[in-house]
Amino acid sequence: MTDVLSDLQARAIAAQTTDEDALRAALNGGSLTFYVGFDPTAPSIHMGNLVQVLVARRLQMAGHNPLMLVGGATGLIGDPRMSGERTLNDREVVEGWVEKIRSQIERFLDFDGPHAARMVNNLDWTKDISALDFLRDVGKHFSVNRMLAKEAVAARLKSEDGISFTEFAYQLLQGNDYLELHRRYGVTLQTGGSDQWGNLTSGVDLIRRVERKSVHAMSTRLITKADGTKFGKTESGTVWLDPSLTSPYAFSQFWLNSADADAPGYLRVFSLRPLDEIEDIIEQFQAEPHKRLVQRTLAEDVTTLVHGKEESDQAFAAAAALFGTGDLSELNPSTLGSALASLPNLEVDSSAITAGLSVADAFAGSGIVKSKGDARRAVKDGGAYINNERVSDAEVPLTGQQLLPIDGGSAALLRRGKRTLGAVIVRDN
């Protein structure tokens, strides 16, 4: 990749830069060292954070040197949000989250070779600074007028609760991080989301004032849906990269269910395929949108990238099996369990099966029909299935032979008609 900035712009990833021409010249003129930071405010990174990780990967592929910062210090504070003050987490919690996020990020980058990535923690250079030294050496270079103008700070000052000094001072910490990384490792570029622009430029200004040097900042646009709602959210909550928080099946379904208006843009941002190949896929999709080629490519690329090919294949096999074009028995218990848990379901313990839970009870209890009477009519009309096998009697009980193993129990897939799915989930006593 000879012009990585142009590629980022063509994918609609790059938003603002401190000096576009100077940054382009620096990126095209040889290897530079850059950093991107992640605050451990949760036990996992999410889809919005993945944008930054993939920007780092693209820059590394173009011959630049990544420093990935997980903020053990800034994570104790939290950057100001528009919505209000953050809850401060215990130090032990933050330390645990630092390690989890480090291990997640490490999978996406190369830590060997001429452009090896490095993981850093800003607690290493922040923990021993006294308040007096910090105010004299860092705070002296920040204008309160300029700090008040930052978007998040200005919004919070207008709110009823205002903003604490703790969060107001966050931009000093992030600015100091850039200065430290510039001194220690020669970092000359910081990247981050466009909502972080004020924090990004605080480091650029601090280095200019203290070191009398010019460095760069680049923001990436915030990914949103075509209707303006927040990207990376589902009815069940945030889409996380940790498989214990968002299963690989649910992760792949998030991409498969992308709206036609959103999916092409997501593919440009999240797929590592060359841009000309992506544009060819989008062109095919626009000619035959009903085939959902972009959504399928997106789901396969990103699920494989985040969870590996085996988990991606299992997630696609689960989707096929749920609708009768695959074999449920070939799914591993974890994938099957997460797939069925995402459906309307009736959860019982094993005593309910022993007591004789009927087909009608199961269908009505799962919510895929309104009543036992509706269940009986579905069976009579030939439109009721258990594990993709047609049911002929609504009053017979479910049997152990119909239950497939899942983590923590067993389950059966219910289907009414062609596409209305539900499940009975039997938990171990």
Side-chain angles (χ1 to χ4, degrees):
M1 193 182 301
T2 57
D3 189 348
V4 64
L5 181 57
S6 292
D7 183 74
L8 292 171
Q9 291 170 332
R11 293 174 186 268
I13 296 174
Q16 295 171 280
T17 61
T18 42
D19 184 329
E20 181 178 330
D21 291 339
L23 176 58
R24 189 184 306 279
L27 289 168
N28 294 343
S31 294
L32 60 75
T33 302
F34 67 94
Y35 98 94
V36 54
F38 302 85
D39 277 343
T41 53
S44 172
I45 58 176
H46 52 68
M47 291 312 308
N49 303 134
L50 184 59
V51 176
Q52 305 307 321
V53 177
L54 295 182
V55 167
R57 178 157 174 169
R58 288 188 169 97
L59 287 168
Q60 186 181 41
M61 290 166 61
H64 303 291
N65 312 312
L67 266 71
M68 309 301 282
L69 184 152
V70 183
T74 44
L76 293 168
I77 303 299
D79 63 315
R81 297 180 301 180
M82 298 286 192
S83 56
E85 199 79 10
R86 292 180 183 272
T87 299
L88 298 182
N89 294 298
D90 293 340
R91 291 178 180 271
E92 295 76 14
V93 171
V94 173
E95 288 173 6
W97 289 351
V98 165
E99 293 309 311
K100 288 184 176 182
I101 291 172
R102 281 175 63 103
S103 66
Q104 286 182 325
I105 293 171
E106 285 172 348
R107 299 199 308 268
F108 295 93
L109 297 166
D110 185 356
F111 284 79
D112 297 307
H115 306 293
R118 182 193 297 265
M119 299 294 302
V120 293
N121 183 342
N122 56 18
L123 190 62
D124 293 343
W125 57 81
T126 306
K127 62 184 177 184
D128 296 326
I129 301 177
S130 72
L132 283 175
D133 286 341
F134 187 74
L135 290 173
R136 286 176 60 87
D137 298 340
V138 179
K140 182 66 175 176
H141 299 286
F142 280 77
S143 161
V144 171
N145 292 21
R146 199 172 288 126
M147 292 173 68
L148 290 172
K150 305 297 185 187
E151 186 178 5
V153 173
R156 289 279 295 281
L157 287 173
K158 295 176 183 177
S159 69
E160 183 176 337
D161 296 327
I163 185 171
S164 69
F165 177 77
T166 298
E167 290 196 5
F168 178 62
Y170 178 92
Q171 56 189 287
L172 275 72
L173 291 171
Q174 188 163 330
N176 187 57
D177 287 344
Y178 200 169
L179 176 61
E180 280 294 324
L181 293 175
H182 177 72
R183 287 170 167 170
R184 292 175 181 228
Y185 304 107
V187 171
T188 55
L189 169 64
Q190 182 186 4
T191 71
S194 60
D195 59 337
Q196 289 287 307
W197 184 244
N199 292 329
L200 299 179
T201 56
S202 70
V204 173
D205 291 341
L206 182 60
I207 291 170
R208 178 177 55 81
R209 290 171 182 273
V210 174
E211 300 292 321
R212 302 286 189 251
K213 293 180 180 178
S214 295
V215 293
H216 309 283
M218 179 183 72
S219 70
T220 60
R221 71 181 182 90
L222 297 183
I223 310 300
T224 58
K225 298 179 183 179
D227 62 6
T229 57
K230 192 168 185 178
F231 165 79
K233 290 278 189 179
T234 67
E235 291 182 3
S236 58
T238 300
V239 180
W240 303 99
L241 271 63
D242 186 330
S244 68
L245 299 176
T246 300
S247 71
Y249 173 78
F251 188 87
S252 68
Q253 287 294 304
F254 170 77
W255 300 108
L256 284 168
N257 292 326
S258 298
D260 288 352
D262 297 323
Y266 295 166
L267 189 63
R268 294 184 183 102
V269 171
F270 290 99
S271 175
L272 293 175
R273 294 172 188 253
L275 193 55
D276 56 354
E277 182 180 343
I278 288 174
E279 295 305 330
D280 181 59
I281 292 169
I282 292 172
E283 186 176 335
Q284 294 178 57
F285 162 74
Q286 290 171 339
E288 298 179 294
H290 62 281
K291 292 185 177 180
R292 299 180 69 78
L293 177 60
V294 165
Q295 285 92 337
R296 289 189 289 107
T297 304
L298 183 62
E300 181 178 351
D301 283 5
V302 187
T303 307
T304 300
L305 180 68
V306 172
H307 295 294
K309 184 169 180 8
E310 183 177 348
E311 289 289 358
S312 178
D313 289 347
Q314 276 281 307
F316 275 84
L322 292 189
F323 289 100
T325 59
D327 189 343
L328 289 165
S329 65
E330 293 183 355
L331 301 177
N332 66 48
S334 175
T335 301
L336 179 61
S338 63
L340 295 182
S342 70
L343 304 174
N345 63 73
L346 171 65
E347 187 168 321
V348 298
D349 60 36
S350 56
S351 62
I353 303 301
T354 305
L357 181 73
S358 71
V359 170
D361 288 329
F363 272 72
S366 71
I368 64 172
V369 295
K370 292 182 179 179
S371 66
K372 291 172 67 174
D374 286 342
R376 295 186 186 100
R377 280 187 287 276
V379 170
K380 183 179 179 181
D381 294 340
Y385 301 81
I386 294 179
N387 297 336
N388 295 320
E389 297 287 338
R390 183 176 279 114
V391 179
S392 58
D393 187 344
E395 304 306 329
V396 298
L398 268 69
T399 66
Q401 288 75 21
Q402 291 173 303
L403 298 174
L404 300 168
I406 63 171
D407 287 353
S410 55
L413 171 68
L414 311 178
R415 175 157 58 90
R416 177 174 61 82
K418 291 184 177 181
R419 302 195 65 82
T420 305
L421 301 178
V424 173
I425 297 175
V426 183
R427 294 299 181 192
D428 294 335
N429 290 336

